Amino acid sequence: EAPVGILVRSFKMHEYEPAKSVLCVGRAGAGVNNIPCDKYAEKGIVVFNTPGANANAVKELVLLSLLLCGRKILPGIEWAQGLKGQGADVGPAVEKGKSKFVGGEIFGKKIGIYGLGAIGRLVANACVALGMEVVAYNRTVREEIKAELDPRVKLVGSFEELIEGCDYISLHVALKDNTRGCINAETIAKLNDGASIVNAARGELVNEEDILAALDEKKVTV
């Protein structure tokens, strides 16, 4: 039987030719940059997205990323796995070696939240609950957004103001001409030394050459 709908997540549909029977495309997520919406509109195909459907799951992954950035958990796990087979020597080895994996608390650190959609709002409120100083920027801040934000979240008027002096940045915006490459050498320079950037949105928001250079210079850390 001919399909009338397509459900898609990240599959790039720009080169995909749907069957003539297709009436709609449902995107499992908020971003639709992998779907040629204008082209489909001309064909009479309606494109739906599902903002907020996976918001809590992404929020939890962002929080995990923040903690992994702040503490050397993964290197510690890899090192501990190398102790296999050492028997009674494991305890003394751990006491001697654990100082190599000292990290920092995220409590009291400043985080900038770029984008206050369903995910950004949850991340901002969770970071407040963790004792962080939270600043946030969204191009337009509707009353319903303000109503869902913890009052301790400080709203600022520009992305440049947002990143000034941050220890962490969390990206939650769609990929558009005005957001592409927003993390670049110029904006990275405004961050505190050793800052960490969590990108749970689109890879193209970050200029790859500039972020690699910043990592080499220890301006940003992972």
Side-chain angles (χ1 to χ4, degrees):
E1 189 172 335
V4 295
I6 297 175
L7 294 177
V8 65
R9 182 150 179 78
S10 57
F11 177 75
K12 292 179 172 58
M13 303 187 71
H14 291 277
E15 304 301 323
Y16 175 80
E17 188 63 37
K20 293 182 179 181
S21 57
V22 170
L23 300 177
C24 62
V25 173
R27 166 71 164 89
V32 292
N33 56 292
N34 58 315
I35 304 171
C37 295
D38 292 343
K39 175 182 174 182
Y40 282 11
E42 292 175 0
K43 294 176 177 290
I45 299 174
V46 179
V47 176
F48 300 94
N49 65 348
T50 56
N54 62 345
N56 189 70
V58 177
K59 176 206 73 177
E60 293 182 1
L61 289 173
V62 170
L63 296 178
L64 172 63
S65 298
L66 293 174
L67 293 169
L68 289 175
C69 289
R71 297 187 179 273
K72 300 174 183 178
I73 302 297
L74 294 180
I77 291 173
E78 293 173 356
W79 174 79
Q81 289 174 337
L83 300 176
K84 184 178 180 180
Q86 296 188 25
D89 293 331
V90 170
V94 169
E95 288 302 316
K96 182 179 179 180
K98 65 183 181 181
S99 62
K100 294 187 297 184
F101 307 103
V102 173
E105 296 181 352
I106 63 174
F107 181 87
K109 298 297 194 304
K110 182 179 180 182
I111 182 169
I113 310 293
Y114 185 23
L116 290 171
I119 299 168
R121 295 198 290 272
L122 291 178
V123 171
N125 290 343
C127 289
V128 168
L130 290 171
M132 304 184 78
E133 177 189 350
V134 183
V135 294
Y137 169 64
N138 203 69
R139 289 188 66 190
T140 57
V141 183
R142 303 184 304 276
E143 287 304 315
E144 56 264 34
I145 292 178
K146 291 182 180 180
E148 293 183 12
L149 280 179
D150 187 294
R152 289 168 289 183
V153 176
K154 179 183 177 183
L155 298 174
V156 296
S158 68
F159 178 62
E160 290 71 25
E161 184 181 357
L162 174 79
I163 62 175
E164 187 74 44
C166 277
D167 302 295
Y168 294 89
I169 288 289
S170 191
L171 303 176
H172 301 286
V173 290
L175 179 62
K176 298 181 179 180
D177 289 342
N178 63 336
T179 60
R180 185 183 299 273
C182 62
I183 298 297
N184 53 54
E186 181 180 351
T187 54
I188 290 170
K190 296 178 181 292
L191 298 169
N192 284 345
D193 291 343
S196 295
I197 300 166
V198 177
N199 181 9
R202 294 290 184 268
E204 294 87 346
L205 297 173
V206 179
N207 181 297
E208 290 187 6
E209 291 184 3
D210 291 351
I211 197 69
L212 289 172
L215 286 166
D216 287 341
E217 297 164 3
K218 299 295 192 293
K219 176 63 180 179
V220 297
T221 57
V222 294

